[in-house]
């Protein structure tokens, strides 16, 4: 923060040194220094209930495993010295002792020289014996003796006591997460109960007047509380025990009450929202009153996540994550997970990394370490990392990415073609079977549904028609969905194809004028008539489209020289146009029929837009591409498109 808080209470004075932006390394180091070392509380757990818990102390083996020397095969316990001269031509005859050592039977008789005792796999070695001869290597000689035709060495087929686990050895170390293999080792030693680290209890609060919980109706200007659910889940994933306490309005007194109560009942408190300089941002002020030392870092040179606030109140970490979900999640994983895992007695998380090439230039802000979420696809020369174009306000930037790359604080960009390291969100790269890069359409999901159901993974990266064409030319995708109108030839898509690409016709999307049902300026009119009456009413507001959109060309033709109010509102998607009209921010615009109908809006059809696919010829034979082409041509696919309001080509 560069701004001083408006009201500086005396108890906040000693925090002023922190009201500067710290590097992420410095912020994390100060946060950890204020919290650690601290003791981990252990609690007893029955073995069966310990799955997924971290051991709070080292476990030493209380016994030898196996507890006695035992036979690894079915055969005869012998003295190896008796068989030193045995061979194919010179069998040695051994007299059988009068017992059979089965599993669980303690031997009674010694094996004296010249004798053998029958023994089963797992049977304890009798006194005097030092080796086992496999039953296959012997011949019975009557019922009282055997002939052995090969020599045997001392210790053969014997598992000696403690050879698996030695009494007193460190079986498992503190911090080990108990999985099935660990449970197996503990059970082998007879351990029924272990001491595991008590999971830190973490209270989660969302803040904001605009937040509504999932399941509730969504009033105007409200949004669903995304962070509450995702933060709580991520806490559980990293060894904590999350307690979600709901969303609190931006009211200082209410928030302080909620924070105090949460902190009293928990080991840690994680809030989201309210860290920026908006009018309602109060939580960081409250922290100063909750306990010592208070705020450790408010403002970290990190993108996304600059407004992150880290604090420690009387030994308990208090964190305020940025409000935007992707920023919240990113900073949580980067700055909070290390601390949470340490408190939970878990080892640091080790994330897998891969090397990948960046196909486009990524601009970056100087002075902040920038993390860019990327989707990975397999290119001709290795992995390619596509930056997610949606920004930190979008939940999908984080949730649908494969990982992230890092741009140094001192760099203002990452040039196209850079080979860089990508930290994965999953243990392995998930290389998709079909890669679709270009303009997104809800119809696409209908066509790819059978592929997904057949176990093929489809990665669709929305970068717009031109971005898709560029990717297709570089051979980075299988298909590029495009809807580009060529003014000169008055045709769609074909004029934009280059060598190596072929056109696969997709479907037609009826474009037209969208308006609220019952609006007499539009209802029942032709497109030209509707535009005339809209232009005749100075209070009538249009929502336009961005330059370059096929739809925009239609709008400009309809308007001629007219520039009605709203002309400069130029969103980039069909859905944004429908939302503007539905929410009365505009009265009319141009969108496609399925989107207008989904929003229950009136619609005057005007002209069809061609949504086709530029197919990379060299990839046509790939099984997933074939499956896509089949799905596109199938009766089911065409019926699904038609039902949704598209017209298959
Ligand atoms: P703030 O830091 O409170 O100003 O929030 C920044 C942005 O994040 C605003 O657009 C908020 O609506 C949004 N935001 C804050 N909290 C949440 C949440 N729990 N879920 C989804 N979005 C949120
Ligand atoms: Mg807020």
């Amino acid at each position: 923060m560069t701004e001083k808080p408006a009201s500086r209470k005396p108890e906040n004075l000693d925090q002023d040194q922190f009201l500067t932006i710290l590097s992420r390394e410095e912020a994390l180091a100060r946060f950890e220094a204020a919290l650690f070392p601290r003791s981990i509380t252990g609690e007893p757990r029955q073995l069966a209930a310990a799955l997924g818990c971290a051991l709070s102390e080292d476990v030493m083996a209380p016994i030898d495993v196996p507890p006695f020397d035992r036979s690894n095969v079915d055969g005869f316990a012998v003295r190896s010295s008796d068989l030193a001269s045995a061979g194919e031509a010179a069998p040695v005859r051994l007299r059988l002792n009068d017992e059979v050592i089965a599993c669980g039977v303690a031997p009674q008789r010694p094996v004296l020289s010249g004798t053998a005792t029958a023994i089963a796999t797992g049977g304890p070695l009798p006194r005097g014996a030092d080796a086992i001869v496999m039953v296959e290597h012997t011949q019975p000689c009557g019922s009282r003796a055997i002939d052995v035709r090969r020599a045997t060495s001392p210790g053969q087929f014997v598992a000696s006591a403690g050879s698996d686990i030695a009494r007193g050895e460190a079986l498992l170390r503190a911090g080990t997460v108990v999985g099935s293999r660990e449970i197996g080792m503990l059970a082998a030693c007879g351990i029924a109960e272990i001491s595991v680290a008590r999971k830190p209890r973490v209270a989660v609060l969302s803040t904001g007047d605009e937040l509504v919980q999932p399941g509730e109706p969504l009033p105007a200007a409200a949004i669903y509380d995304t962070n509450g659910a995702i933060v709580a889940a991520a806490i559980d994933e990293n060894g904590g025990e999350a307690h979600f306490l709901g969303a609190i309005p931006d009211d200082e007194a209410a928030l302080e009450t909620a924070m105090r109560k949460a902190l009293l009942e928990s080991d840690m408190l994680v809030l989201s929202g309210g860290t920026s300089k908006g009018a309602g941002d109060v939580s960081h002020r409250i922290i100063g009153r909750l306990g010592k030392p208070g705020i450790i870092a408010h403002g970290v040179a990190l993108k996304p996540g600059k407004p992150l606030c880290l604090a420690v109140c009387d030994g308990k970490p208090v964190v305020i994550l940025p409000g935007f979900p992707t920023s919240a999640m990113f900073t949580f994983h980067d700055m909070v997970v290390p601390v949470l895992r340490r408190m939970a007695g878990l080892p640091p998380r080790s994330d897998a990394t891969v090397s990948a090439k960046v196909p486009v230039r990524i601009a970056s802000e100087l002075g902040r370490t920038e993390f860019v979420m990327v989707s990975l696809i397999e290119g001709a020369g290795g992995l390619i990392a596509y930056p997610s174009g949606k920004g930190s306000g979008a939940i999908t930037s984080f949730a649908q990415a494969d990982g992230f790359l890092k741009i140094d604080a001192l760099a203002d960009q990452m040039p196209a073609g850079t080979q860089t390291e990508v930290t994965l969100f999953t243990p392995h790269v998930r290389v998709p079977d079909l890669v679709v890069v270009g303009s997104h359409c809800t119809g696409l999901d209908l066509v790819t549904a059978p592929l997904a159901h057949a176990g093929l993974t489809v990665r669709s990266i929305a970068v717009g028609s031109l971005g898709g064409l560029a990717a297709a030319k570089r051979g980075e995708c299988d298909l590029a969905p495009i809807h580009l109108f060529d003014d000169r030839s008055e045709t769609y898509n074909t004029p934009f194809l280059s060598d190596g690409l072929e056109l696969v016709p997709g479907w037609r999307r009826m474009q037209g004028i969208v308006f609220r049902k019952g609006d007499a300026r539009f209802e029942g009119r032709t497109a030209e008539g509707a535009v005339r009456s809209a232009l005749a009413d100075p209070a009538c507001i249009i929502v336009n489209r961005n330059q370059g959109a096929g739809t925009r060309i239609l709008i400009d033709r309809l308007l001629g020289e007219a520039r009605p109010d709203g002309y400069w509102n130029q969103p980039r998607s069909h859905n944004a146009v429908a939302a503007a009209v539905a929410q009365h921010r505009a009265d009319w615009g141009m969108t496609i029929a399925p989107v207008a109908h989904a929003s229950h809006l009136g619609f005057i059809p005007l002209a069809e837009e061609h949504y086709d696919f530029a197919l990379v010829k060299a990839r046509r034979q790939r099984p997933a591409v074939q499956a896509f082409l089949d799905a596109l041509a199938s009766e089911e696919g065409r019926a699904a498109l038609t039902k949704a309001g598209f017209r298959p080509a």
Side-chain angles (χ1 to χ4, degrees):
M1 297 286 285
T2 47
E3 205 179 67
K4 295 269 158 70
S7 68
R8 243 170 56 187
K9 301 246 165 71
E11 69 261 35
N12 284 354
L13 274 179
D14 59 345
Q15 290 176 13
D16 272 11
Q17 57 172 316
F18 297 119
L19 297 177
T20 50
I21 295 199
L22 301 179
S23 73
R24 69 178 272 279
E25 290 74 20
E26 178 69 21
L28 191 55
R30 289 195 194 182
F31 193 35
E32 294 200 306
L35 287 167
F36 302 105
R38 65 200 285 132
S39 58
I40 304 246
T41 316
E43 60 185 19
R45 271 294 159 87
Q46 289 296 302
L47 213 49
L51 193 66
C53 297
L55 292 171
S56 62
E57 48 197 46
D58 293 350
V59 179
M60 313 312 268
I63 59 162
D64 282 330
V65 178
F68 45 82
D69 293 0
R70 71 180 178 198
S71 175
N72 271 343
V73 294
D74 288 337
F76 299 93
V78 299
R79 288 175 178 249
S80 57
S81 56
D82 283 349
L83 298 174
S85 64
E88 272 309 319
V92 170
R93 182 156 300 172
L94 297 174
R95 198 159 33 78
L96 283 178
N97 293 310
D98 184 20
E99 74 173 334
V100 173
I101 306 168
C103 263
V105 171
Q108 302 298 326
R109 311 207 194 296
V111 171
L112 302 174
S113 186
T115 72
T117 300
I119 189 165
T121 305
L125 211 64
R127 180 180 166 88
D130 63 11
I132 309 291
V133 183
M134 281 172 84
V135 68
E136 293 89 330
H137 299 153
T138 64
Q139 272 109 40
C141 178
S143 62
R144 311 281 333 137
I146 52 168
D147 282 347
V148 185
R149 287 177 191 274
R150 60 169 82 188
T152 188
S153 48
Q156 177 156 286
F157 299 129
V158 175
S160 53
S163 59
D164 192 355
I165 299 168
R167 180 200 302 256
E169 105 179 69
L171 192 60
L172 292 168
R173 291 291 183 191
T176 304
V177 178
V178 179
S180 56
R181 295 179 307 165
E182 287 71 26
I183 287 187
M185 293 216 281
L186 295 161
C189 290
I191 296 174
E193 191 183 274
I194 49 177
S195 174
V196 301
R198 187 176 66 76
K199 295 192 173 194
R201 198 183 148 93
V202 185
V204 179
L205 278 172
S206 300
T207 70
D209 294 335
E210 74 280 25
L211 299 180
V212 169
Q213 291 307 311
E216 303 287 320
L218 194 66
I223 59 167
Y224 282 118
D225 177 3
T226 313
N227 296 344
I230 191 169
V231 169
I235 284 167
D236 286 344
E237 279 175 350
N238 284 284
E241 189 184 285
H243 291 264
F244 177 55
L245 305 176
I248 309 294
D250 290 310
D251 170 84
E252 192 155 343
L255 192 56
E256 180 160 352
T257 308
M259 285 170 77
R260 282 188 186 281
K261 183 164 182 290
L263 212 47
L264 213 60
E265 295 165 352
S266 316
D267 305 304
M268 178 170 178
L269 171 58
V270 180
L271 283 83
S272 67
T275 62
S276 49
K277 290 178 231 162
D281 298 333
V282 294
S283 32
H284 63 271
R285 278 210 302 272
I286 299 170
I287 288 182
R289 304 192 285 266
L290 290 185
K292 295 275 163 207
I295 291 178
I296 302 283
H298 187 189
V300 178
L302 188 68
K303 187 179 179 182
K306 185 173 163 185
L308 175 72
C309 177
L310 302 172
V312 174
C313 299
D314 296 339
K316 295 181 179 180
V318 177
V319 174
I320 311 178
L321 301 172
F324 275 153
T326 284
S327 305
M329 279 332 290
F330 197 82
T331 45
F332 179 81
H333 282 279
D334 195 48
M335 308 288 285
V336 186
V337 163
V339 161
L340 175 59
R341 291 184 69 93
R342 253 180 104 170
M343 288 174 66
L346 291 171
R349 200 174 57 195
S350 58
D351 294 319
T353 59
V354 292
S355 175
K357 196 153 102 179
V358 176
V360 289
R361 173 182 177 274
I362 309 173
S364 173
E365 193 182 314
L366 262 181
R368 283 164 76 186
T369 307
E370 180 154 351
F371 295 91
V372 180
M373 312 298 144
V374 295
S375 293
L376 289 171
I377 57 175
E378 190 84 65
L383 289 173
I384 295 176
Y386 256 97
S388 158
K390 289 200 182 171
S392 57
I395 175 71
T396 49
S397 309
F398 185 81
Q400 289 174 2
D402 293 306
F404 60 88
L405 56 82
K406 181 173 160 187
I407 304 179
D408 199 82
L410 297 174
D412 64 352
Q413 63 150 331
M414 181 172 274
T418 305
Q419 191 74 31
T420 190
E421 185 176 85
V422 173
T423 304
L424 299 178
F425 289 138
T426 50
H428 305 285
V429 187
R430 305 170 294 178
V431 179
D433 298 302
L434 185 76
V435 179
V436 183
V437 180
S439 162
H440 189 261
C441 174
T442 49
L444 195 54
D445 301 334
L446 301 173
V447 175
T448 56
L451 276 72
H453 299 155
L456 293 169
T457 49
V458 179
R459 175 68 46 78
S460 151
I461 301 175
V463 295
S465 296
L466 288 172
L469 269 184
K473 282 179 196 157
R474 293 190 300 257
E476 290 164 4
C477 60
D478 300 300
L479 296 150
I482 53 174
H483 50 98
L484 293 166
F485 187 70
D486 178 47
D487 241 345
R488 259 175 303 161
S489 63
E490 304 239 321
T491 53
Y492 272 98
N493 301 334
T494 317
F496 296 90
L497 296 185
S498 53
D499 279 354
L501 302 180
E502 67 179 275
L503 194 83
V504 173
W507 48 88
R508 308 291 170 247
R509 313 195 290 191
M510 182 56 81
Q511 305 168 100
I513 292 174
V514 67
F515 59 93
R516 287 181 301 281
K517 283 180 183 161
D519 188 332
R521 294 170 293 191
F522 302 96
E523 195 80 70
R525 295 181 194 263
T526 62
E528 290 73 19
V531 171
R532 259 197 311 277
S533 78
L535 293 180
D537 177 2
C540 191
I541 296 184
I542 189 177
V543 50
N544 202 351
R545 276 299 305 277
N546 56 305
Q547 194 74 46
T551 313
R552 172 63 178 272
I553 295 167
L554 283 180
I555 299 174
D556 282 344
R557 282 186 184 172
L558 277 173
L559 291 179
E561 298 295 305
R563 293 289 176 271
D565 193 8
Y567 184 86
W568 298 106
N569 181 15
Q570 304 186 349
R572 304 188 66 85
S573 80
H574 291 303
N575 286 56
V577 170
V581 174
Q583 293 160 6
H584 294 253
R585 285 181 283 118
D587 300 304
W588 68 293
M590 186 86 66
T591 190
I592 58 174
V595 168
H597 294 148
S599 300
H600 307 292
L601 292 168
F603 186 73
I604 305 170
L606 188 58
E608 276 188 329
E609 176 182 60
H610 294 212
Y611 184 87
D612 298 321
F613 297 88
L615 168 63
V616 179
K617 281 184 196 161
R619 297 167 82 115
R620 189 181 237 286
Q621 295 313 321
R622 293 162 63 102
V625 174
Q626 289 299 314
F628 176 83
L629 296 176
D630 290 348
L632 185 60
S634 71
E635 276 310 310
E636 296 81 357
R638 298 173 68 86
L641 285 168
T642 307
K643 183 160 175 246
F646 302 103
R647 191 170 69 82

